[in-house]
Amino acid sequence: MLYTAFILGLISSFHCVGMCGPIALMLPVDHSNPTKKASQILTYHIGRLLAYGGMGLLFGLLGKGFFVAGIQQKLSIFIGVLMIIVALLPERVFAKYNFSKPIFRMISKLKQKLGSQFKKKSYSSLLTIGFLNGLLPCGMVYVALFGAIAMQSALVGVVYMVLFGLGTIPLMSVVVYLKSFLSLSARNTIQKVIPYVMVVIGVLFVLRGLGLGIPYVSPTTLSLFVQETPNCH
């Protein structure tokens, strides 16, 4: 199921171009030095990966709790169905609710901190920009976190989110170099594909939870919950 994280990241990157593209375009990188510019962009992405990995750890730990409790497969089905519902419901339905309102002050401070880093031109500031950027509210990140919580361990949760972040890197890097490389109509067309990808990934999570015995897609309940090497003495 880890491959779904990278696929989701690749598709989500088109959404990121619209939401986080302005941040990428404003990065304080050295445009006169190609080698330094590449290393600076990489530093920015490492910051994002650290943020995603940290969130993956937290949600992976929560998912591990469900795994230990023996309901992790049911959780996988629930999250898969939730992904499908989120993908199919019109965006205006979610627009009625401000899920970020309880933490609005924290997000405001986060944005202020992020803005102050653009005045600096150091690798540490680029790392900070990437990290704070990764913490900003994003619907596609939330979907990826659904996947992380459905993993069976904290480590796999971290790997899931890092793979998601890696999937967003190619397109986000291209934005810095080519700026407006995609027309508005092209981006809108790609945005329409995202819900279909979310549905497919949601179905994969449902299949995983059903334990149908399909290798890599729907392993049996026994293979998920029984150790390969028994602790017998």
Side-chain angles (χ1 to χ4, degrees), residues 70-137:
I71 62 171
Q72 208 259 347
Q73 281 194 282
K74 293 179 182 178
L75 178 67
S76 183
I77 295 174
F78 172 76
I79 288 177
V81 172
L82 189 60
M83 283 184 178
I84 295 171
I85 292 174
V86 170
L88 296 179
L89 282 179
E91 190 174 345
R92 63 177 178 272
V93 174
F94 296 98
K96 295 179 181 178
Y97 308 96
N98 186 357
F99 296 105
S100 301
K101 190 174 181 180
I103 54 173
F104 178 77
R105 289 184 179 179
M106 184 181 72
I107 295 172
S108 179
K109 291 181 180 179
L110 190 66
K111 290 182 177 180
Q112 289 177 4
K113 179 68 174 178
L114 182 61
S116 66
Q117 294 300 313
F118 286 100
K119 301 175 183 179
K120 306 173 184 178
K121 293 186 178 181
S122 64
Y123 281 95
S124 61
S125 65
L126 286 163
L127 188 70
T128 303
I129 289 172
F131 185 81
L132 295 177
N133 188 182
L135 295 179
L136 289 176

Side-chain angles (χ1 to χ4, degrees), residues 159-225:
V159 174
Y160 192 92
M161 288 304 297
V162 170
L163 284 174
F164 167 79
L166 288 173
T168 68
I169 287 178
L171 195 57
M172 289 297 291
S173 298
V174 170
V175 168
V176 182
Y177 283 98
L178 301 183
K179 297 185 178 181
S180 56
F181 71 103
L182 279 179
S183 65
L184 180 61
S185 60
R187 289 199 296 268
N188 289 336
T189 301
I190 295 169
Q191 287 275 28
K192 294 178 182 178
V193 177
I194 294 177
Y196 295 99
V197 176
M198 287 176 59
V199 169
V200 171
I201 293 176
V203 169
L204 287 173
F205 271 94
V206 171
L207 290 174
R208 176 179 181 268
L210 291 175
L212 301 176
I214 304 173
Y216 305 107
V217 175
S218 184
T220 62
T221 303
L222 186 64
S223 66
L224 276 176
F225 292 101

